Amino acid sequence: MRKKDVPSLVKDPHLIDMRRAQIVKAAVQLFNEKGYHKATTRAVAEASGFSIGTLYEYIGSKEDILYLVCDSVYDEVISRWEELLDEKLTGRERLSQVIEAYFRVVNDLQDEVLVMYQESKSLSEEALRYVLEKELRMKRMFEQELTRAKKEGLVTLTEGEMSLAAHQILVAGHMWTFRRWAIQRDYSIEEYITYQLRQLFTGFGMKEISSS
């Protein structure tokens, strides 16, 4: 799936990236407060620190803003996640770290992740397919780690269960944002990681772990 071409009247790639980062940051806050449909492009421009005319030098439409938000959030989640991973780890420690690192990145980017999943349905069909393909990339990364763990004899998942288990990890991370109004009232991120790892690993056929 090819990345959407967001039009820009500006030709300097560095300036485009910088301005669009400002737009994304402002849009995330506004979309969280008002929702995508109620937040105007003028409000996004003002929150970004420039005029509506300047805003349209870097985008072609309001949907472009939402697309940039979704696209950049996925990229940042994956980038930060990969930075936290220690390639030297193996076995249980590696699988624990892979999942824990994902949860911690989601915790750091709660507002961005929440907007992405609540509002991505407003994207055009083609843009939505591209964004969802990025989520499937994340799912496949988890599936690869589970396959590695199975080869090491750590999990007892069948081939049919492997894909669903990868989805379960993704959803467990999402839940920290979707249900934060309740969950974060009762649990710290440390407790959440510990309990989720315990439940996930039990479902994967691993012995119970005492901590993350």
PDB file of all heavy atoms in Angstrom, residues 173-188:
ATOM      1  N   GLY A 173      -2.400  -3.237  24.854  1.00  0.00           N
ATOM      2  CA  GLY A 173      -1.787  -1.918  24.856  1.00  0.00           C
ATOM      3  C   GLY A 173      -2.815  -0.823  24.624  1.00  0.00           C
ATOM      4  O   GLY A 173      -2.821   0.205  25.301  1.00  0.00           O
ATOM      5  N   HIS A 174      -3.728  -1.048  23.677  1.00  0.00           N
ATOM      6  CA  HIS A 174      -4.775  -0.073  23.393  1.00  0.00           C
ATOM      7  C   HIS A 174      -5.644   0.192  24.624  1.00  0.00           C
ATOM      8  O   HIS A 174      -6.055   1.332  24.869  1.00  0.00           O
ATOM      9  CB  HIS A 174      -5.692  -0.582  22.269  1.00  0.00           C
ATOM     10  CG  HIS A 174      -4.985  -0.855  20.991  1.00  0.00           C
ATOM     11  ND1 HIS A 174      -5.576  -1.547  19.944  1.00  0.00           N
ATOM     12  CD2 HIS A 174      -3.745  -0.538  20.561  1.00  0.00           C
ATOM     13  CE1 HIS A 174      -4.734  -1.633  18.943  1.00  0.00           C
ATOM     14  NE2 HIS A 174      -3.602  -1.044  19.293  1.00  0.00           N
ATOM     15  N   MET A 175      -5.914  -0.858  25.366  1.00  0.00           N
ATOM     16  CA  MET A 175      -6.821  -0.735  26.508  1.00  0.00           C
ATOM     17  C   MET A 175      -6.318   0.262  27.543  1.00  0.00           C
ATOM     18  O   MET A 175      -7.097   0.906  28.235  1.00  0.00           O
ATOM     19  CB  MET A 175      -7.037  -2.107  27.159  1.00  0.00           C
ATOM     20  CG  MET A 175      -8.127  -2.111  28.231  1.00  0.00           C
ATOM     21  SD  MET A 175      -8.627  -3.783  28.717  1.00  0.00           S
ATOM     22  CE  MET A 175      -7.149  -4.343  29.569  1.00  0.00           C
ATOM     23  N   TRP A 176      -5.003   0.391  27.664  1.00  0.00           N
ATOM     24  CA  TRP A 176      -4.436   1.347  28.612  1.00  0.00           C
ATOM     25  C   TRP A 176      -4.878   2.766  28.272  1.00  0.00           C
ATOM     26  O   TRP A 176      -4.977   3.627  29.149  1.00  0.00           O
ATOM     27  CB  TRP A 176      -2.912   1.231  28.601  1.00  0.00           C
ATOM     28  CG  TRP A 176      -2.217   2.169  29.543  1.00  0.00           C
ATOM     29  CD1 TRP A 176      -1.407   3.216  29.209  1.00  0.00           C
ATOM     30  CD2 TRP A 176      -2.257   2.147  30.974  1.00  0.00           C
ATOM     31  NE1 TRP A 176      -0.936   3.850  30.346  1.00  0.00           N
ATOM     32  CE2 TRP A 176      -1.442   3.211  31.439  1.00  0.00           C
ATOM     33  CE3 TRP A 176      -2.887   1.337  31.909  1.00  0.00           C
ATOM     34  CZ2 TRP A 176      -1.248   3.481  32.794  1.00  0.00           C
ATOM     35  CZ3 TRP A 176      -2.707   1.604  33.266  1.00  0.00           C
ATOM     36  CH2 TRP A 176      -1.895   2.667  33.696  1.00  0.00           C
ATOM     37  N   THR A 177      -5.147   3.026  26.984  1.00  0.00           N
ATOM     38  CA  THR A 177      -5.638   4.356  26.589  1.00  0.00           C
ATOM     39  C   THR A 177      -7.162   4.403  26.547  1.00  0.00           C
ATOM     40  O   THR A 177      -7.766   5.334  27.069  1.00  0.00           O
ATOM     41  CB  THR A 177      -5.085   4.759  25.211  1.00  0.00           C
ATOM     42  OG1 THR A 177      -5.565   3.873  24.201  1.00  0.00           O
ATOM     43  CG2 THR A 177      -3.573   4.733  25.204  1.00  0.00           C
ATOM     44  N   PHE A 178      -7.809   3.392  25.933  1.00  0.00           N
ATOM     45  CA  PHE A 178      -9.256   3.420  25.774  1.00  0.00           C
ATOM     46  C   PHE A 178      -9.990   3.433  27.118  1.00  0.00           C
ATOM     47  O   PHE A 178     -11.017   4.082  27.268  1.00  0.00           O
ATOM     48  CB  PHE A 178      -9.735   2.203  24.980  1.00  0.00           C
ATOM     49  CG  PHE A 178      -9.275   2.193  23.558  1.00  0.00           C
ATOM     50  CD1 PHE A 178      -9.168   1.003  22.857  1.00  0.00           C
ATOM     51  CD2 PHE A 178      -8.940   3.361  22.909  1.00  0.00           C
ATOM     52  CE1 PHE A 178      -8.744   0.994  21.541  1.00  0.00           C
ATOM     53  CE2 PHE A 178      -8.511   3.369  21.594  1.00  0.00           C
ATOM     54  CZ  PHE A 178      -8.416   2.175  20.911  1.00  0.00           C
ATOM     55  N   ARG A 179      -9.469   2.685  28.062  1.00  0.00           N
ATOM     56  CA  ARG A 179     -10.126   2.552  29.367  1.00  0.00           C
ATOM     57  C   ARG A 179      -9.372   3.301  30.458  1.00  0.00           C
ATOM     58  O   ARG A 179      -9.519   3.006  31.636  1.00  0.00           O
ATOM     59  CB  ARG A 179     -10.215   1.071  29.735  1.00  0.00           C
ATOM     60  CG  ARG A 179     -10.997   0.222  28.756  1.00  0.00           C
ATOM     61  CD  ARG A 179     -12.479   0.432  28.880  1.00  0.00           C
ATOM     62  NE  ARG A 179     -12.974   0.054  30.191  1.00  0.00           N
ATOM     63  CZ  ARG A 179     -14.233   0.231  30.594  1.00  0.00           C
ATOM     64  NH1 ARG A 179     -15.102   0.809  29.793  1.00  0.00           N
ATOM     65  NH2 ARG A 179     -14.611  -0.156  31.804  1.00  0.00           N
ATOM     66  N   ARG A 180      -8.598   4.288  30.079  1.00  0.00           N
ATOM     67  CA  ARG A 180      -7.755   4.952  31.057  1.00  0.00           C
ATOM     68  C   ARG A 180      -8.562   5.674  32.126  1.00  0.00           C
ATOM     69  O   ARG A 180      -8.087   5.836  33.251  1.00  0.00           O
ATOM     70  CB  ARG A 180      -6.793   5.928  30.368  1.00  0.00           C
ATOM     71  CG  ARG A 180      -7.418   7.109  29.654  1.00  0.00           C
ATOM     72  CD  ARG A 180      -6.341   7.911  28.954  1.00  0.00           C
ATOM     73  NE  ARG A 180      -6.881   9.096  28.277  1.00  0.00           N
ATOM     74  CZ  ARG A 180      -6.127   9.951  27.589  1.00  0.00           C
ATOM     75  NH1 ARG A 180      -4.826   9.737  27.480  1.00  0.00           N
ATOM     76  NH2 ARG A 180      -6.666  11.001  27.010  1.00  0.00           N
ATOM     77  N   TRP A 181      -9.772   6.123  31.792  1.00  0.00           N
ATOM     78  CA  TRP A 181     -10.616   6.813  32.763  1.00  0.00           C
ATOM     79  C   TRP A 181     -10.928   5.913  33.959  1.00  0.00           C
ATOM     80  O   TRP A 181     -11.185   6.401  35.064  1.00  0.00           O
ATOM     81  CB  TRP A 181     -11.920   7.256  32.102  1.00  0.00           C
ATOM     82  CG  TRP A 181     -12.718   6.114  31.519  1.00  0.00           C
ATOM     83  CD1 TRP A 181     -12.605   5.596  30.264  1.00  0.00           C
ATOM     84  CD2 TRP A 181     -13.740   5.363  32.177  1.00  0.00           C
ATOM     85  NE1 TRP A 181     -13.476   4.554  30.092  1.00  0.00           N
ATOM     86  CE2 TRP A 181     -14.197   4.394  31.254  1.00  0.00           C
ATOM     87  CE3 TRP A 181     -14.306   5.401  33.445  1.00  0.00           C
ATOM     88  CZ2 TRP A 181     -15.201   3.478  31.558  1.00  0.00           C
ATOM     89  CZ3 TRP A 181     -15.317   4.494  33.755  1.00  0.00           C
ATOM     90  CH2 TRP A 181     -15.749   3.550  32.825  1.00  0.00           C
ATOM     91  N   ALA A 182     -10.872   4.596  33.769  1.00  0.00           N
ATOM     92  CA  ALA A 182     -11.127   3.650  34.861  1.00  0.00           C
ATOM     93  C   ALA A 182      -9.856   2.929  35.291  1.00  0.00           C
ATOM     94  O   ALA A 182      -9.534   2.863  36.478  1.00  0.00           O
ATOM     95  CB  ALA A 182     -12.184   2.625  34.439  1.00  0.00           C
ATOM     96  N   ILE A 183      -9.122   2.401  34.322  1.00  0.00           N
ATOM     97  CA  ILE A 183      -7.950   1.577  34.643  1.00  0.00           C
ATOM     98  C   ILE A 183      -6.865   2.380  35.346  1.00  0.00           C
ATOM     99  O   ILE A 183      -6.268   1.919  36.326  1.00  0.00           O
ATOM    100  CB  ILE A 183      -7.391   0.913  33.368  1.00  0.00           C
ATOM    101  CG1 ILE A 183      -8.380  -0.130  32.845  1.00  0.00           C
ATOM    102  CG2 ILE A 183      -6.040   0.251  33.638  1.00  0.00           C
ATOM    103  CD1 ILE A 183      -7.964  -0.793  31.560  1.00  0.00           C
ATOM    104  N   GLN A 184      -6.594   3.585  34.857  1.00  0.00           N
ATOM    105  CA  GLN A 184      -5.502   4.358  35.443  1.00  0.00           C
ATOM    106  C   GLN A 184      -5.864   4.947  36.805  1.00  0.00           C
ATOM    107  O   GLN A 184      -5.005   5.474  37.504  1.00  0.00           O
ATOM    108  CB  GLN A 184      -5.057   5.448  34.459  1.00  0.00           C
ATOM    109  CG  GLN A 184      -4.440   4.852  33.204  1.00  0.00           C
ATOM    110  CD  GLN A 184      -3.894   5.893  32.255  1.00  0.00           C
ATOM    111  OE1 GLN A 184      -3.499   6.984  32.651  1.00  0.00           O
ATOM    112  NE2 GLN A 184      -3.879   5.566  30.964  1.00  0.00           N
ATOM    113  N   ARG A 185      -7.114   4.823  37.162  1.00  0.00           N
ATOM    114  CA  ARG A 185      -7.534   5.212  38.504  1.00  0.00           C
ATOM    115  C   ARG A 185      -7.145   4.130  39.512  1.00  0.00           C
ATOM    116  O   ARG A 185      -6.911   4.414  40.687  1.00  0.00           O
ATOM    117  CB  ARG A 185      -9.056   5.416  38.528  1.00  0.00           C
ATOM    118  CG  ARG A 185      -9.632   5.874  39.864  1.00  0.00           C
ATOM    119  CD  ARG A 185     -11.127   6.037  39.729  1.00  0.00           C
ATOM    120  NE  ARG A 185     -11.756   4.787  39.321  1.00  0.00           N
ATOM    121  CZ  ARG A 185     -12.994   4.698  38.827  1.00  0.00           C
ATOM    122  NH1 ARG A 185     -13.712   5.793  38.635  1.00  0.00           N
ATOM    123  NH2 ARG A 185     -13.490   3.528  38.485  1.00  0.00           N
ATOM    124  N   ASP A 186      -7.071   2.892  39.034  1.00  0.00           N
ATOM    125  CA  ASP A 186      -6.833   1.756  39.928  1.00  0.00           C
ATOM    126  C   ASP A 186      -5.431   1.165  39.823  1.00  0.00           C
ATOM    127  O   ASP A 186      -4.986   0.476  40.755  1.00  0.00           O
ATOM    128  CB  ASP A 186      -7.851   0.644  39.630  1.00  0.00           C
ATOM    129  CG  ASP A 186      -9.285   1.087  39.868  1.00  0.00           C
ATOM    130  OD1 ASP A 186      -9.499   1.915  40.780  1.00  0.00           O
ATOM    131  OD2 ASP A 186     -10.180   0.621  39.136  1.00  0.00           O
ATOM    132  N   TYR A 187      -4.726   1.417  38.695  1.00  0.00           N
ATOM    133  CA  TYR A 187      -3.426   0.777  38.487  1.00  0.00           C
ATOM    134  C   TYR A 187      -2.396   1.784  37.979  1.00  0.00           C
ATOM    135  O   TYR A 187      -2.718   2.667  37.189  1.00  0.00           O
ATOM    136  CB  TYR A 187      -3.527  -0.358  37.457  1.00  0.00           C
ATOM    137  CG  TYR A 187      -4.545  -1.412  37.805  1.00  0.00           C
ATOM    138  CD1 TYR A 187      -5.810  -1.393  37.211  1.00  0.00           C
ATOM    139  CD2 TYR A 187      -4.254  -2.413  38.717  1.00  0.00           C
ATOM    140  CE1 TYR A 187      -6.759  -2.355  37.516  1.00  0.00           C
ATOM    141  CE2 TYR A 187      -5.195  -3.379  39.034  1.00  0.00           C
ATOM    142  CZ  TYR A 187      -6.446  -3.341  38.437  1.00  0.00           C
ATOM    143  OH  TYR A 187      -7.390  -4.290  38.760  1.00  0.00           O
ATOM    144  N   SER A 188      -1.172   1.611  38.410  1.00  0.00           N
ATOM    145  CA  SER A 188      -0.057   2.346  37.819  1.00  0.00           C
ATOM    146  C   SER A 188       0.366   1.609  36.554  1.00  0.00           C
ATOM    147  O   SER A 188      -0.019   0.453  36.328  1.00  0.00           O
ATOM    148  CB  SER A 188       1.121   2.411  38.793  1.00  0.00           C
ATOM    149  OG  SER A 188       1.670   1.101  38.976  1.00  0.00           O
TER     150      SER A 188
END
